[in-house]
Amino acid sequence: MRFSMRLTATLATMALLLGGCAGPYPGAGVSQQGQEIKWGRDQNPPAAKVAGLNSWVEGFKGRARSQGISASTLDFAFRGVTYNPEVVRRSQNQAEFKKSLWEYLENAVSEKRQTNGRAALAQYGGVLSRIEATYGVDKEIVAAVWGMESTYGERRGDLPLIESLATLGYEGYRGEFFRSQLMAALKILQSGDIDPGHMTGSWAGAMGHTQFIPTTYLAYAVDFTGDGRRDIWSNDPSDALASAANYLAKSGWQRGLPAAVEVTLPPGFNMGLAGKGKRRSVAEWQSLGLRQANQRPLPPAGTSTELIVPGGASGAAFLITRNFHAILRYNNADSYALAVSHLADRLRGYPGLANPWPADHPGLRIEQRKEMQRLLGARGFDTQGVDGNVGSNTISAIRAYQASRGLPVTGEPSAALLEQLRRG
């Protein structure tokens, strides 16, 4: 994602599936509904693709052996691996649409995510407190990252990682990146932390509760439970949450410092002072008229901060600290770092933003998007769910509706479209 007043957000839908072969994991081999996991694999992939992947894997094995991967690990890792068209389909059909920062935050810091976050804090409070004491990263920040990455463990990814990465590597998708992730995944298997049957993730190789890619796992994953394995996949999130805290700590996190605090700007404020790299102490900003926007206290007066005003003068403004930049190491999008920071504040009990939605913004809020989806469905244009997320199914439904009415076929949600649906 790239952050600006308008940003392109990628939404991916993943089901929670823990699985594969039998092993020491609760629910191994079955979904939450008790059904056998099928791995999302096309049962009849094209024969030419299967043959091509098999040949590519044999070549990759030679490269892996040269980097110290044993023959037994390679046999174990690639046993049963075949070309997976579902992985390619997901890589090519991500639901992309324009969202404002405010739409992004409204979805990311929804009431449901806050409620589930408080429940997660209550259930795992002891573990999160120990993680905070060990790594110096606030337990609410760790919980917020967990909520953003996998909805508190509900969406860990359902695809077999080795097969996914091999398929992408064979297809040449993003060049060397997925080949390097595949090599890292083989090193994880060789270490004994996980077996191929339980090494699941997203189509792009993000794994477990905190959605680490394999190279990030090798660099930052920790064995917090002390059982000899760095397990970010199973139902117990302890290792995954500690790994996320370790990542943030090694990215420069400073104990006790907020990542971002909303401020109010004085009339006529010089917007040229805002922007990354334009650092001033909190005391200096206060001398320029900046004030605390709500109950969230400002950082200490001597703290070096930057001012960002993502929506222009009509939207919220934030003082950001080094901890904001630590979150950016996890996901290099200001929108993401703001969402993590704000969600953590809501989990602490602080109120919402004082300026969450510029008055002149033309977009639909999440409840309006849900209403649009319901109305489309009622008129025979199925959006495959009512969740407020405008993905490929909703876009297709909008296009079909527009075509049926002789309207310009854009596939874009809008206030005008919603009003027309209301009229029938």
Side-chain angles (χ1 to χ4, degrees), residues 65 87 124 175 262 278 327 337 379 400:
R65 283 190 290 270
V87 173
Y124 295 100
E262 187 185 6
K278 300 177 181 179
I327 298 172
R379 284 150 183 70

Side-chain angles (χ1 to χ4, degrees), residues 208-266:
H209 290 269
T210 47
Q211 293 293 277
F212 275 14
I213 58 174
T215 50
T216 299
Y217 177 98
L218 289 177
Y220 299 104
V222 297
D223 173 19
F224 195 71
T225 62
D227 66 355
R229 295 185 298 114
R230 298 171 294 172
D231 183 6
I232 66 173
W233 298 270
S234 71
N235 288 341
D236 181 355
S238 299
D239 284 358
L241 299 179
S243 298
N246 182 49
Y247 191 166
L248 292 171
K250 290 185 175 178
S251 297
W253 188 271
Q254 181 176 326
R255 186 188 296 265
L257 191 66
V261 177
E262 187 185 6
V263 294
T264 59
L265 306 179

Side-chain angles (χ1 to χ4, degrees), residues 49 95 97 101 106 114 133 145 152 158 189 193 206 236 254 259 269 277 292 322 351 356-357 372 384 400 404 408 420:
K49 291 289 189 179
F97 60 98
L101 167 65
E106 187 174 54
Q114 292 176 51
V145 168
Y152 308 106
D158 62 349
L189 291 175
D193 283 323
D236 181 355
Q254 181 176 326
F269 179 77
Q292 179 180 330
R322 61 183 291 171
W357 190 272
M372 178 191 67
Q384 302 296 313
S404 73
Q420 183 162 27

Side-chain angles (χ1 to χ4, degrees), residues 102-152:
W102 314 115
E103 289 176 283
Y104 178 83
L105 287 179
E106 187 174 54
N107 186 65
V109 192
S110 66
E111 288 296 329
K112 181 178 180 181
R113 186 162 281 169
Q114 292 176 51
T115 298
N116 291 345
R118 294 184 189 102
L121 279 168
Q123 182 176 359
Y124 295 100
V127 170
L128 286 164
S129 293
R130 292 195 300 274
I131 289 171
E132 180 175 335
T134 301
Y135 298 101
V137 181
D138 312 43
K139 61 185 178 183
E140 295 86 359
I141 287 287
V142 176
V145 168
W146 187 21
M148 291 292 294
E149 292 297 331
S150 68
T151 317
Y152 308 106

